[in-house]
Amino acid sequence: MSQDYRTLYRQSLEAPDEFWLEAAQAVTWTQPPTTAVDSTAAPLHRWFPDGELNTAYNALDRHIEAGRGDATALIYDSAMLGVARKYSYTELRDEVARFAGVLRSQGVAKGDRVVIYLPMVPEAVIAMLATARLGAVHSVVFGGFAAKELASRIQDARPTVVVTASGGLEPRGPIEYLPSVHQALDISDHRVATVIVKSREGFLHHASDYGSTSDGSTSDKQGSGAEGAGTEGSGAVWLDWDTALATADPADPVPVLATDPLYILYTSGTTGSPKGVVRDNGGHAVALAWSITNIFGVGPGDVMLTASDVGWVVGHSFIVYAPLLVGATTVLYEGKPVGTPDAGAFWRLIDDHRINVMFTAPTALRAVRKVDPEAKLLKNYDTSSLRLLFCAGERLDVDTYHWTGAALGVPVIDNWWQTETGWPICANPRGIEELPIKAGSPTVPQPGYDLRILDGEGHEVPTGTEGNIALKLPLPPGTLPTLWGSDERFISSYLSAFDGYYVTGDSGYLDDDGYVFVMGRTDDIINVAGHRLSTGAIEQVLAQHPAVAECAVIGLSDPLKGQRASGYVVLKAGADIDPATLEQELIALVRNQIGPVADFKQAVVVDGLPKTRSGKILRKTMRQIAAREDYVVPSTIEDHSVLDAMKPILRGTADR
Ligand code: COA
Ligand code: AMP
């Protein structure tokens, strides 16, 4: 392959089979693919249909077989515990193989699902890779989600096993996971066979609270009586991780078809029910091996810190799979950018582990800047090992871009993508060439992504004009082939708006140099501290309050978190509740039902919501008024006076 971006990009679109079959050689196959993309079921496309491999083997065993077993695969650094622990490739493979043996002994086989609800501990990586080793399918649920969200994912994924821990360590104290897991199992009507619990010190609840016996297992059929446990019980056996691991036989990697699912990752859609994004095995391994090499410039011997969470796609791809697929070292950081203990946390990590490439969300950098605006803490550390800092998860604002680059003295690389794509759609491919950086742009489309800007009718717009960012089908390998259990929902959510295209849900424009500028969502998804949330899901929770007749939730701009959710509620006739009390009750409701991650802190009472004559709430107009943007009131508005009355309220909440 010639090594300049434009040639590679053109080749990827003009000769995709050749391009991706060559890229596929970076992966070890039990049956190498002879075909790249299978489009016979278009608009559904499958990559490497005749290939067979095991992803965990590619992430671990093959490096050991190549003589790199002593190289460090994983560094667990917990600012919460003040410990760091290294795993060589051999150590990590052995733990993964034994935990795969535990899963197998609990009935997990190829194609079965395993839900993983774990904080940022090595067991999260081990559980993911162990599931992959068996050819089973993991679904990781972020620890900041409450029981109900966990339940909806269990309900949809229908796992054989749930893997969890006593809890997570947050700055405000330990977060007990087991009551949430138990409650989620009660809510869901799916029966999980086994819950495996990694015990951590300092937590009130343990697997043994659920009636553990001498063999380390118990059934909670009768209910455990543990605080927070449901009365019905779920019928699951509860196992202690360490006890189970001590006697487990290691399991060998199970080859699967490239098109078989590796994982399901639920993400917010515009409705309350999350979408199960499916990732296949073959396309994923090829795309991640390609992107970590050619975009991130990371290879064997490099140390990469991705300061995200394994519960998000950035964590799946760039904490777990990509660094291991190429034999690099990945740092798993349990802590925050600030307050654990201070705003020098990232710089300490770079120094301690000689990190070469770092990846985080802009919100984390804004948090650091807020506490240490002159980056004085940097002086305490040697960060000379760092070559590049990548940012994604939300728009990298120009101020944060300049501040970070000036403080660290390394290029700051924005990259734009989504859970659905699994790897960057747009980036500056630093492993290929150093394209000039334009502040505010994630640079250019990456190979396989045929990016177009379309107007509402699906016609391409001229350069410089904002429109819907769409990707011409087929999408490249590693992107979602479908949604879990529903090709129809996949097609109707993403492929129906414009024939032959995937719609990203983001709007933006191209400049004369082909650089992409991503401006924001076209739907009701918001991004709070790099966490993707659905305003529709929050509305569903607010509507449950007995005093609420109707409500609207919109995203307001937030200087630290990018956006925050703000609720506007209309009271039922005769409801007698003080607005401040109602606000507190609504905040608690969202926290209990969606989770602390929603960070919902603002709900105001209004007399009415602006609507069209057909009853559609004018959320976009509300957003524009709050943001003091120009707006056009739809001609179909039902009652202008309702909108007029809301203007000062919207601006007041935006300024709060
Ligand atoms: N388990 C349980 N609770 C969690 C959690 C987890 N895994 N993650 C977050 N929470 C809780 C927090 O403790 C907080 O609770 P509180 O309301 O009681 O304080 C709440 O959820 C909101 O958390 P967060 O959005 O993280 O806000 P914060 O004020 O604690 O921290 C930042 C702000 C910017 C430092 C933090 O959001 C951050 O590091 N963001 C980066 C996000 C990221 O990596 N995104 C992935 C895309 S790349
Ligand atoms: P998620 O699926 O949680 O990764 O969220 C994906 C969404 O986050 C995208 O559709 C964008 O709206 C936003 N996003 C992610 N990265 C960027 C970026 N670099 N610039 C602008 N928006 C981004």
Side-chain angles (χ1 to χ4, degrees), residues 267 313 391-396 414-420 442 504 506 518 521 527 532:
T267 190
V313 71
C391 276
E394 54 172 324
R395 186 176 159 79
L396 173 59
D414 189 6
N415 57 115
W416 165 67
W417 45 299
Q418 22 183 238
T419 306
E420 289 84 345
T504 62
D506 283 300
V518 181
R521 297 286 306 189
N527 201 309
R532 173 167 158 181

Side-chain angles (χ1 to χ4, degrees), residues 142-144 170 172 175 177 307-309 312 314 336-338 361 363-364 367 392-393 529-531 561 591 596-597 599 601:
F142 177 60
E170 285 295 300
R172 71 187 148 91
I175 309 286
Y177 279 14
S308 175
D309 189 286
W312 307 117
V314 170
K336 300 274 172 180
V338 293
T363 188
H531 308 317
K561 301 200 170 183
R591 193 178 178 91
V597 65
D599 210 21
K601 303 234 163 70

Side-chain angles (χ1 to χ4, degrees), residues 571-654:
L571 295 184
K572 281 183 183 154
D576 182 18
I577 185 163
D578 158 55
T581 308
L582 178 65
E583 183 173 55
Q584 288 314 311
E585 289 181 7
L586 293 174
I587 290 170
L589 208 56
V590 174
R591 193 178 178 91
N592 291 335
Q593 299 225 359
I594 295 181
V597 65
D599 210 21
F600 182 76
K601 303 234 163 70
Q602 202 169 33
V604 292
V605 174
V606 295
D607 291 335
L609 293 168
K611 290 182 190 161
T612 62
R613 283 192 286 277
S614 60
K616 195 171 169 299
I617 297 172
L618 297 173
R619 293 183 184 78
K620 185 174 169 197
T621 315
M622 288 170 62
R623 263 198 319 264
Q624 289 170 321
I625 293 172
R628 295 182 162 78
E629 287 170 4
D630 295 338
Y631 62 94
V632 178
V633 180
S635 57
T636 52
I637 189 165
E638 186 187 33
D639 182 350
H640 265 281
S641 67
V642 176
L643 187 64
D644 291 339
M646 268 209 88
K647 276 184 203 167
I649 298 171
L650 285 164
R651 289 184 179 148
T653 47

